Amino acid sequence: ETSISIEMKCETPYEKFVGIIARIQNFLTLAISKTVYPTKVVGLKDEWNETIKKAIPLDIEIFHSAQGKPETPEKVWPDEMLFTYDNIKESKASLNYWLEKAELLKPVYQSYFAVRYKPEMYAELQVLSLAHALEVYHSRTMNHPVFTKEQFKKRLKVIFDSIPLKYWRYKKWLEGELSWSNDLKLQQRLEELVRIKKQGDLFSEFLVDKKEFIKKVKYTRHFHTHYNKKLEKKAAKGKEFILLIRQMKLLLETYFLKEIGFSWKKIRTLIRKSSNYKACLYLIARQKPTQSEIVGVNL
């Protein structure tokens, strides 16, 4: 078993440790690509010993309910891991980066790991969680308005000034409708996430057609949010649905590696050897019709 020691400079409430333990658990789950959980939590508390006239550290075993704990432990194979200790031992900063960004990226972590810890979750809910994670990640790390403040104010003025007097009573309603129109939409955020140049052709390898990926995420998310029948045919389904979930996970994992300090060159190496990347390529190949399927269609 592996143990991790967390030390504080002063006496600290257990609740604070719970948050740190959860963040470290998430970090290790990301690295190993399998659910990691604490098997035992032991606290230390100085207790005064009257016999020797000094305080001695006392072990206190703490009952800790671990999220995502499977009934039977999973075997871990290095070639299935996203990254190993050898990948991070030189800088030793990766975990620090992860913890430092925990508050900023909290909703991203929550949505991503909700899927990781609950693989039995309905596929529709997985897509919703992962789409939310991607949207919030962009919002928290790359956000910008569609137009500058001045440009946006000018556009609103042109629109409101063009309202005929007899329709002026609708101005308040229109203001409400346009109040969020300077925020990027999901499609725009996804476009920016997949067109970063520094990763070379990495995204093209597991997304293949970036425009089609973006459309599938958008329509699938919107359909399973609103259940608008007009979007049903455009939403992913079957094998395509499973592939979409894998692709969304891998896109997030790529950016998580960036956040913990890996260079784009190293990210390419790590992603290409990951089990999720291999699963994506397998599913992409499976989507192409086999010779027997082609023959069947011709018949």
Side-chain angles (χ1 to χ4, degrees):
E1 288 188 356
T2 302
S3 64
I4 294 175
S5 177
I6 304 170
E7 296 183 16
M8 297 294 191
K9 292 180 180 178
C10 59
E11 196 169 288
T12 305
Y14 176 62
E15 289 72 22
K16 185 158 188 177
F17 284 102
V18 171
I20 296 171
I21 291 169
R23 290 165 184 173
I24 293 173
Q25 180 185 352
N26 289 343
F27 179 80
L28 294 175
T29 295
L30 176 71
I32 293 172
S33 297
K34 293 184 185 295
T35 301
V36 173
Y37 55 90
T39 56
K40 182 193 287 188
V41 176
V42 177
L44 286 178
K45 182 177 174 65
D46 287 340
E47 186 144 312
W48 181 258
N49 187 302
E50 191 60 37
T51 305
I52 60 175
K53 303 296 183 184
K54 70 173 185 179
I56 58 171
L58 178 70
D59 282 5
I60 303 171
E61 189 164 342
I62 299 166
F63 174 77
H64 181 82
S65 178
Q67 62 171 327
K69 185 176 180 179
E71 291 182 11
T72 54
E74 299 177 272
K75 288 189 176 180
V76 176
W77 307 103
D79 60 343
E80 293 181 352
M81 294 170 63
L82 185 58
F83 60 92
T84 65
Y85 177 69
D86 285 342
N87 298 136
I88 62 172
K89 68 180 180 182
E90 288 181 14
S91 71
K92 296 181 180 177
S94 297
L95 180 57
N96 286 338
Y97 289 144
W98 182 262
L99 296 175
E100 285 168 6
K101 295 174 181 181
E103 278 306 311
L104 175 69
L105 299 178
K106 184 177 179 180
V108 183
Y109 292 170
Q110 286 175 332
S111 295
Y112 171 81
F113 287 104
V115 174
R116 290 305 302 265
Y117 291 131
K118 295 287 184 183
E120 72 278 8
M121 180 192 292
Y122 286 122
E124 294 84 358
L125 296 180
Q126 290 189 41
V127 165
L128 293 178
S129 286
L130 294 170
H132 179 258
L134 286 165
E135 190 168 27
V136 176
Y137 176 78
H138 183 282
S139 175
R140 292 288 173 101
T141 63
M142 303 163 68
N143 197 39
H144 61 85
V146 179
F147 306 106
T148 65
K149 273 188 176 181
E150 285 305 311
Q151 288 173 329
F152 187 56
K153 281 173 69 175
K154 189 175 179 181
R155 282 172 175 260
L156 290 180
K157 186 176 186 308
V158 170
I159 292 169
F160 294 139
D161 287 351
S162 65
I163 300 174
L165 197 58
K166 64 178 179 178
Y167 296 124
W168 195 245
R169 63 185 181 280
Y170 298 125
K171 180 174 180 288
K172 280 285 182 190
W173 170 80
L174 187 58
E175 283 177 344
E177 290 296 305
L178 294 176
S179 60
W180 302 101
S181 61
N182 204 29
D183 292 348
L184 293 170
K185 305 293 186 290
L186 173 64
Q187 179 172 334
Q188 294 166 305
R189 295 187 189 280
L190 290 172
E191 284 169 352
E192 292 193 3
L193 285 171
V194 303
R195 76 171 177 229
I196 300 294
K197 299 296 182 185
K198 293 180 181 178
Q199 87 295 330
D201 292 323
L202 176 61
F203 291 159
S204 296
E205 291 172 22
F206 66 84
L207 298 180
V208 185
D209 186 334
K210 294 178 187 177
K211 288 183 179 178
E212 185 62 20
F213 166 76
I214 290 167
K215 283 197 293 185
K216 283 298 176 187
V217 174
K218 181 179 77 169
Y219 290 131
T220 306
R221 199 282 292 269
H222 290 350
F223 173 67
H224 289 289
T225 300
H226 307 291
Y227 284 95
N228 185 329
K229 293 292 282 184
K230 292 178 182 177
L231 298 175
E232 189 169 9
K233 288 185 179 179
K234 296 179 179 180
K237 52 185 73 65
K239 292 179 187 177
E240 191 179 45
F241 203 99
I242 303 306
L243 172 60
L244 189 66
I245 290 171
R246 287 279 188 179
Q247 290 171 320
M248 293 166 78
K249 280 185 188 174
L250 201 52
L251 185 55
L252 280 164
E253 288 160 5
T254 301
Y255 278 102
F256 285 158
L257 291 174
K258 172 181 170 288
E259 292 300 328
I260 58 177
F262 285 109
S263 67
W264 280 109
K265 183 179 179 180
K266 188 64 178 176
I267 289 170
R268 284 197 294 274
T269 302
L270 294 174
I271 287 294
R272 283 172 177 157
K273 75 174 186 62
S274 71
S275 57
N276 202 11
Y277 175 83
K278 293 169 187 173
C280 277
L281 296 192
Y282 172 76
L283 289 167
I284 289 166
R286 286 283 302 273
Q287 286 197 334
K288 296 175 183 176
T290 63
Q291 188 60 39
S292 61
E293 287 172 331
I294 293 170
V295 171
V297 170
N298 290 337
L299 289 173

